[in-house]
């Protein structure tokens, strides 16, 4: 989101939570941290680190590297409220796709007040069957709700992350995904009304569940 920076912005990265609650079959995060494991850093320690980045290195923007930043509404609101209370004078963004079903009005409000300028949402598909098969922790109704919430916060740039198949190479589609299912993804993106969308085909990462199943079905070779 560097194009949103003010002139002279100096940026750094930070992590609040490591790991993710989701069990997306195409993702490798749980291979590194453990299935469903989320390691949460102390809010005061993270906030102190933000101040040090600002005071010692002149940082005015941080990119959150979390895969599951909205982990628990109370904790998330407390974190953003702490940043607002400290008057850090810093902006931040979440480049990795946040979990739409975890977004609430309170989180969005606290995020904006604490300096959030951009959020990415991990949508992947707009088809209910594909979302269940992946499986994503959010459904179509959660994406619609997230879109409505973010429309109330136009100062936050919103980006949706989509995975759209590539028919000539069936292994680049989600299992069982058809052209009509891909159209569901396109229609959902239109209905959510986010500011921007990125589109990529499915990448079969070695060792993850969706890749192992494709190998077992001999859809791909090693």
């Amino acid at each position: 989101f560097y194009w949103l920076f003010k002139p002279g912005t100096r940026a750094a990265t930070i992590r609040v939570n490591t790991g993710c609650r989701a069990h997306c079959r195409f993702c490798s995060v749980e291979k590194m941290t453990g299935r469903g494991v989320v390691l949460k850093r102390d809010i005061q320690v993270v906030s102190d680190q933000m101040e040090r980045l600002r005071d010692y290195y002149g940082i005015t923007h941080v990119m959150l590297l979390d895969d599951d930043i909205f982990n628990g509404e109370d904790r998330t609101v407390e974190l953003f409220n702490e940043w607002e209370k400290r008057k850090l004078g810093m902006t931040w963004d979440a480049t990795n796709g946040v979990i739409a079903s975890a977004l609430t009005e309170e989180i969005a409000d606290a995020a904006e007040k604490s300096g959030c300028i951009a959020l990415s949402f991990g949508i992947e598909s707009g088809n209910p069957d594909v979302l269940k098969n992946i499986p994503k922790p959010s459904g179509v109704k959660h994406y619609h709700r997230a879109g409505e919430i973010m429309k109330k916060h136009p100062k936050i740039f919103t980006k949706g992350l989509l995975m759209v198949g590539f028919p000539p190479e069936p292994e680049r589609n989600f299992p069982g995904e058809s052209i009509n299912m891909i159209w569901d993804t396109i229609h959902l993106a239109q209905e959510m009304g986010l500011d921007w969308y990125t589109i990529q085909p499915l990448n079969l990462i070695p060792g993850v569940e969706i890749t192992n199943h494709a190998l077992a079905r001999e859809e791909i070779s090693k």
Side-chain angles (χ1 to χ4, degrees):
F1 294 112
Y2 63 89
W3 65 87
L4 298 174
F5 292 174
K6 295 179 180 180
T9 294
R10 194 169 190 179
T13 58
I14 196 171
R15 189 184 289 274
V16 179
N17 304 317
T18 300
C20 185
R21 292 167 289 173
H23 308 297
C24 301
R25 298 173 60 207
F26 58 84
C27 182
S28 62
V29 170
E30 68 176 31
K31 297 297 181 182
M32 296 180 284
T33 59
R35 187 174 178 84
V37 175
V38 180
L39 306 175
K40 303 176 182 179
R41 298 181 62 202
D42 182 83
I43 287 175
Q44 297 301 319
V45 171
V46 173
S47 301
D48 289 344
Q49 184 179 357
M50 295 274 283
E51 289 189 336
R52 287 196 296 274
L53 287 172
R54 180 195 63 190
D55 297 341
Y56 288 98
Y57 301 101
I59 300 300
T60 56
H61 179 88
V62 292
M63 179 176 67
L64 301 186
L65 300 179
D66 299 44
D67 293 289
D68 194 0
I69 182 61
F70 296 161
N71 192 298
E73 181 180 26
D74 291 344
R75 169 181 160 80
T76 304
V77 171
E78 181 184 355
L79 171 71
F80 297 156
N81 285 347
E82 180 66 22
W83 292 356
E84 181 190 9
K85 183 177 71 175
R86 294 195 185 203
K87 300 186 185 302
L88 297 173
M90 304 170 72
T91 56
W92 64 271
D93 73 76
T95 298
N96 286 338
V98 301
I99 297 176
S101 58
L103 178 69
T104 64
E105 297 274 6
E106 291 74 18
I107 288 177
D109 184 62
E112 180 176 337
K113 291 178 179 177
S114 67
C116 179
I117 62 170
L119 291 175
S120 295
F121 289 88
I123 300 169
E124 275 65 77
S125 175
N127 179 268
D129 292 332
V130 172
L131 292 172
K132 290 179 182 178
N133 186 41
I134 300 177
K136 291 291 293 182
S138 305
V140 171
K141 66 178 182 181
H142 300 117
Y143 296 131
H144 280 135
R145 187 188 68 184
E148 291 304 312
I149 290 174
M150 295 314 302
K151 287 174 184 176
K152 302 174 185 176
H153 299 275
K155 292 182 180 180
I156 300 178
F157 186 92
T158 52
K159 180 171 69 174
L161 309 179
L162 309 177
M163 287 188 181
V164 174
F166 188 57
E169 298 179 28
E171 68 274 12
R172 305 298 293 275
N173 290 47
F174 288 121
E177 186 179 41
S178 66
I179 294 294
N180 285 337
M181 291 175 173
I182 293 174
W183 273 110
D184 289 338
T185 301
I186 296 170
H187 292 150
L188 175 65
Q190 292 174 318
E191 291 160 2
M192 287 183 69
L194 303 185
D195 295 310
W196 191 259
Y197 294 92
T198 60
I199 300 174
Q200 69 176 48
L202 173 67
N203 288 314
L204 296 176
I205 302 172
V208 303
E209 184 179 345
I210 202 168
T211 304
N212 293 338
H213 285 186
L215 284 168
R217 294 191 301 268
E218 298 185 344
E219 294 175 352
I220 60 172
S221 58
K222 293 183 178 180

